């Protein structure tokens, strides 16, 4: 289900437009990273719905995915709850998330989908509990809110990658399991060849290098509307000196422009180590409407940069996506079209 994020990107541009305000914002915490224990065959995976609601079809698919990976599934108590378009009330969704962190047998927490609603959990999450019981948390889209808040408040490395109900083709499965199960001092992720093939008929799948070079820094980012919505909160992604990665789905270019402007006013793209934009599905202008193209929208923000900047990387609401450890140091190489993790993401 495609859910518009119109409500999540309420701009704070007017409040941030004072010259020099971005430079005066507090620096990202130097909190020591906490790496969760690696995933092993036979481990128990906690299946939860912290955002959008899940039906039986999605739950069955997610359980099949978990078992096909040689893992076992524990389904959250409230995973079938429904509250509007959310998977139960805030209290029910929090209860499942906290219970999975607290359960000593659960080694990984895997949201079944994104949707919307994770942002409502942030002010009442028990960050002390999470810090005391570090575990793998994997997902993308609306799960971005959990990634950024948990990174800011605990230093735990979490993982931007497939949700439990994703269709796991070879490419996402290979890189997901390598990052989660096999700690290596360095691990290089190439772009998905399947996306390059799609680019022959769907240009937005193509990789464009706007500013070439290499850049190194901690990985921060996720879904563009959520990253923008967290600006001005204690959970914001302070991407100065970081590798910022962004993706979006089913949003008009003018909204992408608004959110990109909000991020630039907040911390400044020029202050990032580098910027990676993923493959933004269904974000082209509606036919017959006056609009910038998707490429023009990103170009006006990224082309002026002197730091490496690319679009079309294998991140986003796509089948062939790779897994990025949030907070981990990595190097972007625009010539090789790779992202290299510079240390193990799990212990």
């Amino acid at each position: 289900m495609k859910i518009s994020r119109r409500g999540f990107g309420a701009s704070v541009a007017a409040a941030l437009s004072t010259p020099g305000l971005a430079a005066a914002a507090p620096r990202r915490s130097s909190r020591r990273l906490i790496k969760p224990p690696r995933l092993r065959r036979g481990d128990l995976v906690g299946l939860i719905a912290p955002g959008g609601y899940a039906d039986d079809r999605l739950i069955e698919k997610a359980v099949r995915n978990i078992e096909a990976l040689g893992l076992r599934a524990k389904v959250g108590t409230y995973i079938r709850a429904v509250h509007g378009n959310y998977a139960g009330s805030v209290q029910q969704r929090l209860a499942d998330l906290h219970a999975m962190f607290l359960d000593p047998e659960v080694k990984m927490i895997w949201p079944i989908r994104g949707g919307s609603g994770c942002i409502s959990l942030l002010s009442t999450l028990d960050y002390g509990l999470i810090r005391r019981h570090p575990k793998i948390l994997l997902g993308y889209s609306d799960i971005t809110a959990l990634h950024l808040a948990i990174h800011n408040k605990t230093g735990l490395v979490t993982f931007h990658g497939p949700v439990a109900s994703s269709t796991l083709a070879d490419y996402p499965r290979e890189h997901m399991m390598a990052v989660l199960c096999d700690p290596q001092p360095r691990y290089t992720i190439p772009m998905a060849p399947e996306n390059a093939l799609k680019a022959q008929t769907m240009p937005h799948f193509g990789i464009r290098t706007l500013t070439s070079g290499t850049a190194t820094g901690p990985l921060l980012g996720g879904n563009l509307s959520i990253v923008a919505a967290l600006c001005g909160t204690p959970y914001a992604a302070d991407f100065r000196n970081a590798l910022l990665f962004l993706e979006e789905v089913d949003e008009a270019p003018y909204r992408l422009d608004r959110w990109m402007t909000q991020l630039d006013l907040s911390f400044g793209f020029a202050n990032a180590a580098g910027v990676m934009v993923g493959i933004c599905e269904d974000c082209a202008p509606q036919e017959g409407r006056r609009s910038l193209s998707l490429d023009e929208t990103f170009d006006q923000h990224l082309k002026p940069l002197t730091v490496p900047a690319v679009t079309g990387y294998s991140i986003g609401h796509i089948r062939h996506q790779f897994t990025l450890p949030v907070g981990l140091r990595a190097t972007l190489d625009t010539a090789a079209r790779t992202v290299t993790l510079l240390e193990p993401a799990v212990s």
Side-chain angles (χ1 to χ4, degrees), residues 5 48-52 97 109-119 121-122 125 137-151 158-164 221-223 226-227 230 247 317 326:
R5 294 170 176 80
I48 62 170
L97 183 57
I109 302 170
W110 205 357
I112 193 168
R113 59 167 295 197
S116 61
C118 287
I119 197 169
L121 309 184
L122 305 188
L125 264 180
L137 174 69
L138 173 67
Y140 74 110
S141 190
D142 195 57
I143 310 304
T144 294
L146 298 178
H147 291 317
L148 296 180
I150 290 171
H151 172 73
T158 62
F159 298 85
H160 183 278
V163 291
N223 180 260
I226 302 300
V227 178
L230 291 178
E247 60 85 19
H317 287 66
V326 177

Side-chain angles (χ1 to χ4, degrees), residues 100-116:
M100 294 303 183
F101 271 107
L102 195 56
D103 187 336
E105 294 188 10
V106 171
K107 305 304 180 185
M108 169 172 147
I109 302 170
W110 205 357
I112 193 168
R113 59 167 295 197
S116 61

Side-chain angles (χ1 to χ4, degrees), residues 46-281:
L47 183 64
I48 62 170
Y53 73 90
D55 57 25
D56 285 338
R57 179 189 60 84
L58 274 188
I59 295 169
E60 290 166 5
K61 181 180 181 183
V63 170
R64 287 197 303 270
N65 280 344
I66 291 168
E67 293 175 348
L69 295 171
L71 305 166
R72 297 176 294 125
K74 176 179 179 177
V75 177
T77 300
Y78 299 108
I79 197 169
R80 289 180 174 84
V82 177
H83 180 66
N85 66 308
Y86 306 117
S89 65
V90 169
Q91 292 75 21
Q92 288 172 320
R93 288 178 278 144
L94 274 173
D96 270 358
L97 183 57
H98 288 157
M100 294 303 183
F101 271 107
L102 195 56
D103 187 336
E105 294 188 10
V106 171
K107 305 304 180 185
M108 169 172 147
I109 302 170
W110 205 357
I112 193 168
R113 59 167 295 197
S116 61
C118 287
I119 197 169
S120 300
L121 309 184
L122 305 188
S123 64
T124 44
L125 264 180
D126 188 338
Y127 296 101
L129 174 99
I130 294 171
R131 191 181 302 110
R132 293 190 300 272
H133 303 278
K135 297 178 183 183
I136 292 168
L137 174 69
L138 173 67
Y140 74 110
S141 190
D142 195 57
I143 310 304
T144 294
L146 298 178
H147 291 317
L148 296 180
I150 290 171
H151 172 73
N152 272 351
K153 295 299 185 180
T154 73
L156 177 64
V157 175
T158 62
F159 298 85
H160 183 278
V163 291
S165 63
S166 293
T167 298
L168 294 177
D170 290 344
Y171 176 87
R173 182 172 57 248
E174 173 191 347
H175 294 295
M176 178 183 80
M177 297 304 284
V179 170
L180 300 181
C181 303
D182 187 19
Q184 297 291 328
R186 292 174 66 92
Y187 182 72
T188 297
I189 308 171
M191 299 302 108
E194 295 87 352
N195 293 335
L197 288 174
K198 286 187 176 183
Q200 296 175 10
T201 55
M202 294 179 279
H204 67 284
F205 273 83
I207 293 175
R208 298 188 308 129
T209 299
L210 306 180
T211 307
S212 61
T214 61
T216 296
L219 290 159
L220 283 179
N223 180 260
L224 172 57
S225 64
I226 302 300
V227 178
L230 291 178
C231 286
T233 76
Y235 318 107
D238 182 349
F239 54 79
R240 288 171 291 186
N241 301 312
L243 290 180
L244 175 65
F245 63 93
L246 300 167
E247 60 85 19
E248 194 47 88
V249 64
D250 196 25
E251 297 288 0
Y254 78 89
R255 295 179 191 155
L256 305 185
D257 180 40
R258 179 197 306 146
W259 296 325
M260 292 290 283
T261 301
Q262 187 172 348
L263 292 182
D264 202 16
L265 290 170
S266 298
F267 297 109
F269 292 130
N271 297 319
V275 182
M276 294 183 286
V277 176
I279 296 166
C280 298
E281 279 277 66

Side-chain angles (χ1 to χ4, degrees), residues 12-27:
V12 294
L16 294 174
S17 59
T18 304
L21 185 57
R27 285 288 174 185

